[in-house]
Every structure is written in C-alpha cells, then in structure tokens.
Amino acid sequence: MSEALIERISTGVPEIDKMLAGGIPKGFLVAVVGEPGCGKTIFCLHFINEGIRRGDKNIFVTTEESRESIVRQALQFGFDFPSAVDEGKLVIVDALMRPPDDEFSLSSLDVEDLVRKVIQIKRKLGYGHARLVIDSLSAFWLDKPAMARRYSYFVKKVLSRWGFTTLATSQYAITTSEAFGFGIEHVADGIIRFRRAVRKGMLRRYIIIEKMRQTPHDKRMYEIDIVDGTGLVIVGPTDMRKEDIALPSRVVRQIVERKKASEEEIP
Ligand SMILES: Nc1ncnc2c1ncn2[C@@H]1O[C@H](COP(=O)(O)OP(=O)(O)OP(=O)(O)O)[C@@H](O)[C@H]1O
Ligand SMILES: [Mg+2]
C-alpha cells in the first residue's frame, strides 16, 4: 500500500493520532482552527512536547502571549519547556513585547519577518526534523484579511523547503464588521477544527478532523476536555451533528461575506 510510504508525526495526543490514521504526514502545514478558549494552543503544546520527547527541533511562535506565559501554561500539564530551551531543543518566539533587538521576538506582525526569524532559528537549532507552531497565523493579517490566502501560501511554500511539520492556528475573531481566519484553510494540507458549546449549563469542547490530505481520517466529532495536570483529553465520539453546535447565523453570514470579499480581492 502507498500508505506505507507516508511518514506520520505523532501529535502528542494518542487518540488524535488514531483519528489521523497514525498522525500528521511529515512536512504538512496543518491549520488548527476554532473559537477562543476551545483548546488550540493547548493542542499545540502537546505537539511541541511530543517533539521534545522524540528529539525533534521545536519552534513555538506565539503572537498572543509572552514566552513566560506559554512556559507556565505548559508546566500545568507537566511539560518541561524550560529544560528543552536550555538543551537547545526548543525556541519560543513571542511578538511585540520585547526591545527590537531581542533575538527571540518579532518586532512586527509581518509574515516575511516571521519566516526570516523561523529560518534563522532553524539554522541555529541544527539538522533534524523540526516542528513549528505558529499561534496564531491569523494575527499576521488582522488588519488586512484579504491577504490571508496569499500570506498562508507564502508561509507554506517557504517553510516546506526547510523540513518543518507545522501547526498554524487561526481564530475567527469576530468583531462587529469583520471575520478573519479564511485563507489558511484552503492552503493548508489539513484542518483540525475545535468547537465549543454550552449544553445543559456546561461548557463542552469538541474536535473534528475536517481535512487531512493523503489520510483516511476519522470523520466523527469527538468531545474533549482540558484537564489540569494532563492537558487535552478525548472524552469520546459524539453523535451530534456539526450543525447542532454551529455558530450563530449572524456570525456565519459575516464569515461568508468576508470570505467572498477576500476571494474577490485576490487575483
Ligand atoms: N491548567 C488547566 N486546567 C484545566 N483547564 C485549563 C487549564 N489551563 C487552561 N485551561 C482551559 O483551557 C482554556 C484555554 O485553552 P487554549 O488556550 O488552548 O484556547 P485557544 O483555543 O488557544 O484560545 P484562543 O483562540 O483564545 O487563543 C481555558 O479557557 C481553560 O478553560
Ligand atoms: Mg490560543
């Protein structure tokens, strides 16, 4: 079977690897998408922790938090990022919160700067398979959503030459008039979607693999939980239809309109 030719990368969550018929194909750029607080960053922490365990090189770019905040969150799930940083297995890059000459910080949310920085760090980390998290990639086009697809394509094209397997998160940051996020889904090799809903007065979270090229992946939606000391835990498949926890129609309409506009603007 051709399946045997595909090398798959563990996500760090064994049940999600099973849903992915073994893991993410090496070298893929996978979009991790969803609303705020539903587990995207925590999933990315698992992915990096697994890379550390397996001796990969790891880069975690955060546009949302400081390096210290990422380290603290990781520690809550028992992931020892400080040692990995000391041992040269992990570099955490944050943005817009350090002096401009800081080696591990981005001084602007510019995709070319991002790619340049990531390559520079990869060179330093040395030879070997590398895992990259960009959390979030959508932050790079917050003020120019029409560029989403072009930027995503650029990032994918350049980074693929450097042997990364990449998770790029994308938010639907819905404001009164804009919805961001589209662009990366079309370009990405895979889409892992997180969702949330309140049912019977409780916040519940879900995950579904919406796309994974070259992969006979599970098509069910799974309920997940985030557990202190452990991290992301799969509760089990749900028989709810995706429509049952859809975004409000007003929001969906905004996304569709925004998507249409962005497609019209890009040649
Ligand atoms: N130590 C912990 N124990 C249990 N749950 C936690 C713990 N730390 C965080 N959480 C839960 O995880 C949520 C945050 O998840 P995460 O940061 O992955 O969201 P996200 O999808 O990245 O959101 P955003 O788009 O806003 O960045 C918190 O709101 C909280 O419910
Ligand atoms: Mg996050």
Side-chain angles (χ1 to χ4, degrees), residues 129-157:
H129 176 247
R131 293 178 185 231
L132 171 65
V133 165
I134 306 171
D135 184 22
S136 68
L137 188 55
S138 52
F140 289 84
W141 54 74
L142 271 183
D143 56 349
K144 33 190 176 316
M147 298 300 281
R149 194 189 294 200
R150 185 176 293 176
Y151 283 174
S152 303
Y153 182 67
F154 170 76
V155 168
K156 182 182 164 183
K157 206 173 83 180

Side-chain angles (χ1 to χ4, degrees), residues 35-42 73 76-77 171 205 226 228:
E35 307 142 84
C38 51
K40 301 183 298 294
T41 297
I42 290 168
Q73 175 78 85
Q76 292 187 332
F77 307 126
Q171 294 159 327
R205 300 183 175 94
I226 296 164
D228 195 36

Side-chain angles (χ1 to χ4, degrees), residues 59 102-104 113-126 162 164:
I59 304 175
D102 187 292
E103 193 183 357
F104 301 128
D113 283 352
L114 165 75
V115 165
R116 201 176 304 123
K117 180 71 80 186
V118 164
I119 290 171
Q120 179 197 334
I121 293 170
K122 173 66 175 75
R123 280 208 176 99
K124 274 209 175 138
L125 286 173
W162 286 83
F164 286 104

Side-chain angles (χ1 to χ4, degrees), residues 24 45 87 93 107 124 250:
I24 296 169
L45 296 176
E87 290 161 15
V93 177
S107 53
K124 274 209 175 138
R250 179 184 61 86

Side-chain angles (χ1 to χ4, degrees), residues 62 64-72 94 97-98:
T62 171
E64 324 281 291
E65 300 172 54
S66 66
R67 305 200 279 256
E68 294 79 7
S69 162
I70 290 295
V71 165
R72 271 197 305 274
D94 54 17
M97 47 181 81
R98 313 276 170 185

Side-chain angles (χ1 to χ4, degrees), residues 83-96:
S83 300
V85 170
D86 289 345
E87 290 161 15
K89 296 177 183 166
L90 168 64
V91 170
I92 308 172
V93 177
D94 54 17
L96 309 180

Side-chain angles (χ1 to χ4, degrees), residues 1-9 17-26 28 212-217:
M1 288 278 287
S2 59
E3 184 61 11
L5 301 172
I6 297 176
E7 191 179 340
R8 292 181 186 274
I9 304 299
D17 291 345
K18 265 188 228 129
M19 291 163 70
L20 289 166
I24 296 169
K26 194 174 184 177
F28 269 23
M212 194 61 63
R213 290 179 177 145
Q214 300 157 36
T215 305
H217 61 85

Side-chain angles (χ1 to χ4, degrees), residues 44 105 115 118 155 227 247 261:
C44 293
S105 186
V115 165
V118 164
V155 168
V227 179
L247 295 164

